[in-house]
Amino acid sequence: MAVKDRDRFSTATRLRLLGEQTAARVYRSQTKRQARRSRLTGRAALLALVVCTMVVALAYPMRQYVSQRAEIAEQQRQQEQARKRVEQLRDLKARWQDDSYAEQQIRRRLHYVMPGETGYVVVDPGAAKQSRADLRAAHRPWYANVWDGVDKSDASDQ
């Protein structure tokens, strides 16, 4: 037994045990690293970095492209509206070139009559039923209506 006890406390035995323990620790840490490493490799990380860089690099130009396409569509819509308005104005100009249309509009809008004709103004019977204040307010300038409002408010205080 004395030989076994001596072997147990000998330096060589202790170094061998320390080596085995260290080897076991290293082996365990390597297996843990390998397990972690298998989840994300260096190539996968590089690929993810490249993809993220491309997304960031293309985000602003794509936003600009989409906004410019929307602006172009809006400008085309406005151009089409302007074309329609020009066509309407051309039609109106062509109508005004006709003497009979111009004469008709002058008679209707300005109440002109040709020499020898008698002009009549037809009064609507429903218009006579309007209140006097409404009738006065409709045919007077705005500042006269404002001044009447001031006078009425002064009269209500008395």
Side-chain angles (χ1 to χ4, degrees), residues 24-95:
R25 284 188 203 136
V26 168
Y27 178 73
R28 278 186 294 201
S29 68
Q30 284 179 351
T31 56
K32 286 180 184 177
R33 283 186 198 152
Q34 287 174 354
R36 271 188 265 145
R37 193 179 289 165
S38 65
R39 291 182 191 161
L40 181 67
T41 63
R43 286 183 182 176
L46 183 63
L47 180 64
L49 179 67
V50 168
V51 168
C52 289
T53 304
M54 293 298 288
V55 167
V56 169
L58 294 176
Y60 183 73
M62 286 302 294
R63 193 181 103 216
Q64 290 295 327
Y65 174 76
V66 169
S67 68
Q68 286 176 0
R69 295 301 299 171
E71 189 175 332
I72 288 170
E74 177 66 22
Q75 292 294 328
Q76 287 174 343
R77 185 186 61 77
Q78 288 178 358
Q79 181 182 14
E80 188 60 33
Q81 286 179 347
R83 277 192 196 130
K84 289 178 182 177
R85 180 69 179 142
V86 167
E87 286 299 318
Q88 290 172 351
L89 292 174
R90 282 186 183 151
D91 292 343
L92 184 62
K93 181 181 175 184
R95 276 191 262 149

Side-chain angles (χ1 to χ4, degrees), residues 74-123:
E74 177 66 22
Q75 292 294 328
Q76 287 174 343
R77 185 186 61 77
Q78 288 178 358
Q79 181 182 14
E80 188 60 33
Q81 286 179 347
R83 277 192 196 130
K84 289 178 182 177
R85 180 69 179 142
V86 167
E87 286 299 318
Q88 290 172 351
L89 292 174
R90 282 186 183 151
D91 292 343
L92 184 62
K93 181 181 175 184
R95 276 191 262 149
W96 277 100
Q97 297 297 326
D98 184 21
D99 290 337
S100 62
Y101 178 79
E103 183 181 329
Q104 176 190 9
Q105 293 299 314
I106 290 168
R107 285 174 173 251
R108 187 174 66 89
R109 293 180 184 189
L110 302 176
H111 303 289
Y112 277 21
V113 292
M114 296 299 286
E117 294 179 350
T118 305
Y120 294 100
V121 176
V122 178
V123 178

